[in-house]
């Protein structure tokens, strides 16, 4: 049981380049999300998904795109990288609390450190 | 909109001393509050949630709705407690899972 797997762990891009951060989970979680972690800012939600084919924006969605074609995968695309997107990116997943009525525990990936020059 | 504030970016204590990591939130409804921890070279993971009212690794946290606080406490800190700690809020309803995180506090426990 690998949990949440993110690739790549490290990436350096030039301004204007595009790339995709991959995220996969094997826990059959309905909910998946992407956060970015910046010093002094904590973690901020970029995009999230409550199931295959359903995505929505979080707090800081500009410059990022997501899709959810399967329950397992939730890739994050940077359309045209900018230095402001230099950050550590975390993918997380959880069950939806549809039956328990309480928030589920988020399971995080190891993170992907992105540098945009 | 909800907000979580952790006023201390860095916190240093000596082994065996009590430790309290502060967390204040602003939200008009009834949120669920969490503490997540990230140890060196490990994944961010759930430490505890207020709804469970449990003690994990000697840590406890009480939700004080009057003061809108959810401080994390441990009576006797250990070196292995050194980590980054995040307080997080879930507003519930249609916002389930959309955690709002504080800025984080780096706790260092000196021998």
């Amino acid at each position: 049981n690998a949990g949440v797997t993110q690739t790549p762990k490290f990436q350096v891009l030039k301004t204007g380049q595009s790339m995709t951060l991959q995220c996969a989970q094997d826990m059959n979680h309905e909910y998946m999300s992407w956060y970015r972690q910046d010093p002094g800012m904590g973690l901020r939600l970029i995009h999230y998904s409550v199931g295959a084919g359903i995505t929505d924006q979080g707090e800081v969605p500009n410059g990022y795109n997501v899709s959810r074609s399967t329950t397992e995968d939730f890739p994050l695309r940077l359309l045209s990288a900018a230095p402001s997107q230099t950050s550590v990116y975390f993918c997380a997943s959880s069950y939806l609390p549809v039956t328990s009525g309480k928030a589920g525990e988020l399971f995080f990936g190891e993170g992907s450190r992105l540098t945009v020059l | 909109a909800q907000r979580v504030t952790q006023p201390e970016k860095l916190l240093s204590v000596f082994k065996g001393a009590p430790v309290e990591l502060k967390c204040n939130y602003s939200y008009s409804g009834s949120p669920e509050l969490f503490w997540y921890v990230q140890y060196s070279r490990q994944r961010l993971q759930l430490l505890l949630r207020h709804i469970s009212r449990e003690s994990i690794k000697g840590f406890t946290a009480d939700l004080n709705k009057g003061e809108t606080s959810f401080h994390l406490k441990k009576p006797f800190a250990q070196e292995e407690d050194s980590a980054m700690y995040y307080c997080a809020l879930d507003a519930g309803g249609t916002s389930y899972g959309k955690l709002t995180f504080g800025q984080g506090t780096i706790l260092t426990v000196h021998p």
Side-chain angles (χ1 to χ4, degrees):
Chain A
N1 189 339
V4 178
T5 304
Q6 287 183 236
T7 56
K9 288 186 170 55
F10 300 95
Q11 183 71 50
V12 178
L13 291 177
K14 294 181 180 178
T15 297
Q17 288 184 315
S18 62
M19 76 156 298
T20 299
L21 298 175
Q22 302 290 346
C23 176
Q25 52 91 10
D26 60 1
M27 297 174 281
N28 203 31
H29 286 165
E30 303 96 335
Y31 180 86
M32 296 187 74
S33 55
W34 277 101
Y35 286 86
R36 59 177 290 173
Q37 180 187 46
D38 301 292
M41 306 287 286
L43 279 78
R44 292 180 292 169
L45 182 64
I46 305 171
H47 284 285
Y48 66 98
S49 168
V50 297
I54 306 169
T55 64
D56 205 347
Q57 297 180 349
E59 181 185 355
V60 288
N62 291 341
Y64 306 95
N65 207 350
V66 292
S67 60
R68 185 95 178 268
S69 57
T70 66
T71 299
E72 294 78 20
D73 301 298
F74 191 47
L76 178 72
R77 297 182 187 84
L78 279 72
L79 309 172
S80 178
S84 61
Q85 294 178 303
T86 293
S87 187
V88 180
Y89 292 85
F90 288 97
C91 179
S93 70
S94 75
Y95 291 111
L96 284 177
V98 289
T99 53
S100 66
K102 64 179 183 180
E105 173 183 353
L106 277 181
F107 291 85
F108 284 86
E110 293 180 298
S112 299
R113 184 174 294 274
L114 175 67
T115 301
V116 183
L117 303 175
Chain B
Q2 57 267 27
R3 176 173 289 185
V4 177
T5 302
Q6 293 178 247
E8 303 136 332
K9 188 174 181 179
L10 302 170
L11 186 60
S12 290
V13 299
F14 285 99
K15 177 182 175 181
V19 61
E20 181 179 53
L21 289 84
K22 291 184 167 51
C23 172
N24 292 93
Y25 68 91
S26 64
Y27 180 63
S28 57
S30 295
E32 290 197 46
L33 275 298
F34 305 83
W35 278 98
Y36 278 80
V37 61
Q38 188 174 26
Y39 300 104
S40 178
R41 290 184 290 277
Q42 293 189 28
R43 302 175 186 227
L44 193 61
Q45 59 188 284
L46 177 67
L47 179 62
L48 56 79
R49 67 176 83 193
H50 89 271
I51 200 169
S52 300
R53 297 182 179 274
E54 55 192 347
S55 173
I56 304 292
K57 298 184 178 182
F59 284 99
T60 59
D62 292 319
L63 178 60
N64 186 323
K65 292 186 177 181
E67 296 182 358
T68 59
S69 67
F70 187 55
H71 303 326
L72 183 68
K73 301 175 184 179
K74 185 170 183 177
F76 307 103
Q78 303 299 315
E79 289 178 69
E80 55 265 30
D81 297 328
S82 296
M84 168 75 91
Y85 291 81
Y86 287 102
C87 182
L89 178 154
D90 188 310
T94 57
S95 296
Y96 267 136
K98 292 167 63 177
L99 292 188
T100 299
F101 285 85
Q103 301 91 329
T105 298
I106 299 173
L107 173 65
T108 302
V109 181
H110 299 284

